[in-house]
Amino acid sequence: MSTTPRPDAGRGAGPPSGSSGRPGKGVLARLTDRIPVRIRRVSLPYLLIIPAILLELLIHLVPMVIGIGMSFLKLTQFFLRNWSAAPSAGLSNYQVAVDFDSAVGSSLLHSFLITIVFTVLTVALSWFLGTMGAVLMQGAFRGRGLLRALFLVPYALPVYAGVITWSFMLQRDSGLVNHILVQLHLADDSDRPFWLIGDNSFISLIVVCVWRTWPFAFLVLMAGLQNISGDLYEASAIDGAGWWRQLRSITLPLLRPVNQVVVLVLFLWTFNDFNTPYVLFGKSAPEQADLISIHIYQSSFVTWNFGSGSAMSVLLLLFLLVVTTVYLVATSRRRSDA
């Protein structure tokens, strides 16, 4: 006698009654489900940048606040182990720094003016070389990729490795620069120029800094040129516009937003540059190349007057904030007028 199997034969008993059959969720998942989707989408970006904000506070803002506090103290080497015992200086550190009739104030003003000239020349040359390099590298030709890579080598090299190499090359007796000048009969072998002291030290500093910074301008401007349509150049060429007219009427106007960012970043980097003069000249830079970053370092770590050095740093910060604000306001107004 044959029996017909039931349809549910061989199957499991299944979930108990009242169960949904889905695995249970954790407590955190259940709490997250109660938050509206809109709130979760809005809060997600802020949650992702919390680690960056914490690191920014730890690395930049906290030392900045401590430095501002140090500027109101007579903090010397005698109070390094116990800052709380350092007497209050009030505004005397700032008064000494801005008293240009005193030795401290006059030397700070001299360093500030040198830094201004150095920054203007370095930014101008770096921007010019970066612009010309980016424009020339736009055309297709054999070896373009290799040249682009070679142009970016100074920017990719570590600062210390590149600047130390330049310091060897600029040595008076054994440096490559003087050797080439002697071989080309541009300098006398018995009277080789000094490149790291005297008036030539300022020229050497500008050359090294431009060599380091112009690839950044080249890289950013080359990326900006990718957004300019080639149809504009073709139409202008049909109308008879040459290379210079295209550069002046198409390239530079359309690169204006990119140039505004590049110039500002180059200005801030160059004005605050400490590594290049420190590695090139050592702890004591020549008077002709006494940048304000090195001057503040000497005031703090050579004379052991950390209160005075902190006051100079705060004044430098205020100057850069004012210049940056004025620059951003001026460029935004020009952009809105356009």
Side-chain angles (χ1 to χ4, degrees):
M1 179 177 176
S2 64
T3 59
T4 304
R6 293 184 304 172
D8 58 347
R11 297 182 183 176
S17 99
S19 174
S20 61
R22 294 179 298 177
K25 292 186 177 181
V27 177
L28 182 60
R30 289 197 298 268
L31 292 176
T32 304
D33 289 342
R34 297 180 181 178
I35 302 175
V37 177
R38 182 175 178 274
I39 297 179
R40 277 185 286 173
R41 290 178 179 176
V42 172
S43 61
L44 180 60
Y46 298 99
L47 293 176
L48 294 177
I49 66 174
I50 283 179
I53 293 176
L54 294 177
L55 290 176
E56 184 72 18
L57 290 173
L58 181 63
I59 297 175
H60 291 101
L61 296 183
V62 172
M64 185 186 305
V65 173
I66 294 175
I68 294 174
M70 289 170 57
S71 66
F72 297 101
L73 299 175
K74 294 181 180 179
L75 185 60
T76 60
Q77 69 269 30
F78 303 107
F79 303 100
L80 287 180
R81 299 186 63 180
N82 187 10
W83 289 15
S84 61
S88 175
L91 297 176
S92 61
N93 289 328
Y94 294 94
Q95 293 173 353
V96 172
V98 297
D99 184 9
F100 302 135
D101 294 330
S102 64
V104 176
S106 61
S107 62
L108 180 62
L109 178 61
H110 174 264
S111 177
F112 176 76
L113 295 177
I114 288 179
T115 308
I116 289 289
V117 177
F118 161 76
T119 303
V120 171
L121 292 177
T122 302
V123 172
L125 290 174
S126 298
W127 175 83
F128 176 77
L129 293 176
T131 302
M132 292 297 102
V135 171
L136 294 176
M137 289 296 106
Q138 284 302 107
F141 58 90
R142 181 175 298 178
R144 183 180 64 172
L146 178 61
L147 284 178
R148 285 180 175 179
L150 290 176
F151 287 167
L152 295 176
V153 167
Y155 185 66
L157 279 177
V159 177
Y160 282 80
V163 179
I164 287 176
T165 303
W166 272 102
S167 66
F168 288 140
M169 293 171 58
L170 294 172
Q171 294 294 322
R172 178 180 183 270
D173 297 325
S174 59
L176 178 63
V177 174
N178 279 342
H179 178 73
I180 294 176
L181 293 178
V182 170
Q183 294 298 321
L184 296 177
H185 302 287
L186 299 177
D188 191 1
D189 191 17
S190 60
D191 189 21
R192 297 188 176 194
F194 291 92
W195 293 105
L196 298 179
I197 59 175
D199 295 335
N200 291 334
S201 60
F202 185 74
I203 299 175
S204 300
L205 183 60
I206 290 180
V207 170
V208 175
C209 286
V210 170
W211 174 81
R212 282 192 53 238
T213 55
W214 85 269
F216 169 76
F218 166 73
L219 180 63
V220 177
L221 293 173
M222 188 171 57
L225 286 173
Q226 305 299 321
N227 296 324
I228 301 178
S229 175
D231 297 337
L232 297 176
Y233 295 102
E234 295 178 1
S236 62
I238 294 175
D239 293 337
W243 180 84
W244 173 251
R245 183 62 184 273
Q246 290 178 348
L247 177 66
R248 186 165 53 91
S249 302
I250 299 176
T251 306
L252 292 181
L254 294 179
L255 282 179
R256 182 174 297 171
V258 180
N259 279 325
Q260 291 172 356
V261 177
V262 169
V263 170
L264 179 60
V265 173
L266 287 177
F267 171 79
L268 294 176
W269 281 0
T270 306
F271 205 96
N272 286 316
D273 192 9
F274 172 80
N275 293 328
T276 303
Y278 182 80
V279 177
L280 195 62
F281 303 118
K283 295 181 180 179
S284 180
E287 183 180 0
Q288 294 81 357
D290 184 24
L291 299 185
I292 196 168
S293 57
I294 292 293
H295 189 86
I296 294 175
Y297 169 81
Q298 292 175 346
S299 300
S300 300
F301 296 96
V302 176
T303 63
W304 296 95
N305 194 340
F306 295 99
S308 177
S310 299
M312 294 178 185
S313 299
V314 174
L315 292 175
L316 174 61
L317 174 63
L318 294 176
F319 170 76
L320 293 178
L321 285 177
V322 170
V323 172
T324 303
T325 302
V326 172
Y327 178 83
L328 292 177
V329 171
T331 53
S332 62
R333 285 183 178 178
R334 182 180 302 176
R335 190 181 306 172
S336 61
D337 293 341

